[in-house]
């Protein structure tokens, strides 16, 4: 059994953790909770790194028997984040791991010498939460109540080897592609419903960096 807290970027990610990922992990005796990055009451958004750094350090120090992870989008991540500028110049396959490694090193340097670095498992979502939804494009259309969108959304998915490769340009990031086809898309509502319809297994089969993260959570031990 292990206990993990995820520091997440926004309300949609928090809903995803609570209603989709946490119940799935609980079956494997990994008990996952979440907190929203930043001050209580704000509506989310990744923001500059010092805010997230503070939350990570406080959460790690608050309970030494608990693991801490993150769920932050690469898309829109400011250059103040460790490794972000290097990642921006790197091949897709290395982008997330560069930032995750830099985060691990930064946090370990700020903790005391008794800190076990295995307790911190940073995760960067490529390129944003909506990439996971492209694991099953039809579910996005169903969640929107627009079944006719399924074909167009599937055509987008078929352009890429993995949903995690759908890029981070301001006009072609995963959420922007959905909004172009369905202007009424609301991430906290449509996105959360679609994630529930898709389920973790489908996401694991399509999104390999996400799969790597989930495996790390499963392998946590107290």
């Amino acid at each position: 059994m292990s206990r993990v807290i995820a520091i997440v970027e926004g309300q949609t990610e928090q809903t995803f953790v609570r209603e989709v990922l946490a119940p799935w992990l609980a079956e494997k005796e990994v008990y996952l909770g979440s907190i929203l990055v930043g001050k209580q009451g704000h509506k989310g958004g990744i923001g500059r790194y010092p805010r997230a750094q503070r939350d990570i350090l406080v959460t790690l120090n608050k309970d030494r028997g608990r693991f801490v992870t993150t769920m932050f989008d690469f898309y829109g991540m400011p250059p103040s984040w460790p490794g972000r500028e290097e990642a921006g110049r790197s091949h897709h396959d290395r982008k997330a791991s560069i930032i995750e490694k830099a985060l691990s090193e930064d946090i370990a340097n700020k903790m005391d010498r008794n800190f076990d670095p295995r307790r911190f498992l940073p995760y960067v979502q490529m390129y944003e939460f909506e990439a996971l939804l492209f694991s099953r494009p039809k579910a996005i259309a169903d969640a929107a109540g627009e079944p006719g969108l399924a074909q167009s959304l599937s055509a987008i998915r078929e352009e890429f080897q993995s949903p995690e490769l759908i890029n981070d340009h301001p006009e072609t990031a995963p959420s922007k592609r959905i909004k172009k086809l369905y202007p009424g898309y609301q991430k906290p509502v449509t996105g959360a419903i679609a994630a529930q319809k898709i389920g973790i297994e489908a996401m694991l089969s399509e999104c390999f960096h996400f799969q790597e993260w989930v495996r790390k959570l499963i392998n946590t031990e107290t």
Side-chain angles (χ1 to χ4, degrees):
M1 185 197 82
S2 61
R3 295 177 296 114
V4 186
I5 189 78
I7 302 173
V8 302
E9 177 171 338
Q11 295 171 335
T12 304
E13 288 81 4
Q14 193 167 37
T15 300
F16 170 72
V17 167
R18 181 179 64 247
E19 298 183 4
V20 184
L21 184 55
W24 188 87
L25 285 171
E27 296 177 359
K28 296 161 178 56
E29 297 189 334
V30 176
Y31 299 99
L32 179 66
S34 66
I35 58 173
L36 196 62
V37 67
K39 293 181 179 179
Q40 185 176 3
H42 89 109
K43 294 183 178 180
I46 192 167
R48 292 176 56 81
Y49 178 62
R51 181 177 70 172
Q53 182 196 57
R54 180 189 64 241
D55 288 353
I56 293 166
L57 293 171
V58 167
T59 307
L60 283 166
N61 281 310
K62 189 173 183 179
D63 184 343
R64 295 287 177 126
R66 182 173 59 186
F67 292 83
V68 175
T69 190
T70 65
M71 190 176 187
F72 298 124
D73 291 349
F74 184 90
Y75 178 70
M77 182 176 281
S80 59
W81 282 67
R84 178 59 180 84
E85 290 188 351
E86 179 187 352
R89 300 188 299 268
S90 302
H91 188 270
H92 167 83
D93 291 345
R94 298 185 60 239
K95 290 181 185 293
S97 61
I98 287 171
I99 296 174
E100 290 165 358
K101 182 175 183 291
L103 285 172
S104 292
E105 291 173 352
D106 178 73
I107 294 302
N109 288 335
K110 297 295 188 299
M111 295 291 289
D112 61 43
R113 65 180 183 178
N114 295 320
F115 172 63
D116 182 350
R118 293 175 298 179
R119 288 182 51 227
F120 181 49
L121 304 165
Y123 170 66
V124 174
Q125 172 65 45
M126 298 300 297
Y127 279 93
E128 57 179 341
F129 169 78
E130 281 79 2
L132 298 175
L133 306 184
F134 275 94
S135 298
R136 294 292 184 271
K138 183 178 181 299
I140 305 173
D142 291 344
E146 298 283 350
L149 294 176
Q151 184 174 354
S152 297
L153 291 166
S154 295
I156 294 170
R157 168 64 186 90
E158 290 169 7
E159 293 178 23
F160 300 89
Q161 186 176 359
S162 164
E164 292 175 319
L165 292 174
I166 300 175
N167 61 32
D168 64 340
H169 189 277
E171 295 180 3
T172 56
S175 65
K176 305 301 183 183
R177 292 174 184 264
I178 295 172
K179 282 189 173 183
K180 186 174 181 179
L181 293 169
Y182 177 57
Y185 174 74
Q186 298 180 28
K187 181 173 180 174
V189 180
T190 317
I193 294 172
Q196 290 176 316
K197 290 178 176 291
I198 294 164
I200 295 300
E201 296 290 349
M203 294 177 183
L204 293 175
S205 69
E206 296 285 324
C207 302
F208 301 113
H209 186 61
F210 176 75
Q211 179 190 103
E212 181 183 8
W213 176 50
V214 172
R215 284 179 176 173
K216 288 179 182 177
L217 297 180
I218 292 172
N219 289 329
T220 53
E221 295 180 1
T222 54

